[in-house]
Amino acid sequence: MAQRVSGWVGWVWFGGLAMFIAGVWNFFYGLAAVLGPDKRYLVSDAQLLVFNQQGWGWAHLIFGVIIAVVGLCVLTGQAWARLTAVVLITLNLITQFLYLPAQPWWSVIVIVLDVFVLWALIVHGDEAEAV
């Protein structure tokens, strides 16, 4: 007998697809930072931020690949990927609170999406494995 699934399975797939797209974007941002000119500072509205662009680029390259692979595996319904996705999305949710002063609207949108995707992965992830 076929198992009935709810509409939340779509949110699980949305989460996997969003993770894949975010991973690809992070990979290309990291690649641009690694291959671009080496800058050590960024000046914005009365603030000076000092950072290592090469380190930032390599971190985005590595995490981009990890996030993209986990997103694809969530789409295939693998249980380990769901757990890993929950950890990665939770970390993203926490970091969005740090970005609230700099980008309040974007951070709030990402926080809301992260909460929906976490809900779908945690509560309805078994349904996605069954499909």
Side-chain angles (χ1 to χ4, degrees):
M1 185 171 163
Q3 180 182 359
R4 288 190 54 128
V5 295
S6 68
W8 280 98
V9 172
W11 276 100
V12 174
W13 291 337
F14 169 78
L17 188 60
M19 288 182 69
F20 174 74
I21 292 169
V24 170
W25 277 110
N26 279 340
F27 175 81
F28 284 117
Y29 281 139
L31 191 63
V34 168
L35 298 178
D38 189 27
K39 294 183 180 179
R40 303 258 182 230
Y41 63 91
L42 173 68
V43 179
S44 65
D45 299 335
Q47 295 180 347
L48 175 64
L49 303 173
V50 179
F51 63 95
N52 180 347
Q53 184 172 341
Q54 293 291 317
W56 180 89
W58 280 109
H60 274 73
L61 272 169
I62 293 166
F63 286 123
V65 169
I66 292 170
I67 290 169
V69 168
V70 170
L72 284 176
C73 292
V74 166
L75 289 173
T76 64
Q78 297 184 22
W80 70 266
R82 216 180 53 202
L83 177 64
T84 307
V86 167
V87 171
L88 291 172
I89 292 170
T90 301
L91 290 173
N92 186 55
L93 183 77
I94 292 167
T95 58
Q96 289 304 316
F97 282 104
L98 299 174
Y99 286 118
L100 270 171
Q103 298 176 333
W105 289 106
W106 178 251
S107 294
V108 169
I109 290 168
V110 171
I111 288 168
V112 169
L113 284 174
D114 282 348
V115 168
F116 276 121
V117 172
L118 279 174
W119 172 266
L121 288 171
I122 293 169
V123 176
H124 300 282
D126 290 339
E127 296 175 27
E129 288 179 35
V131 173

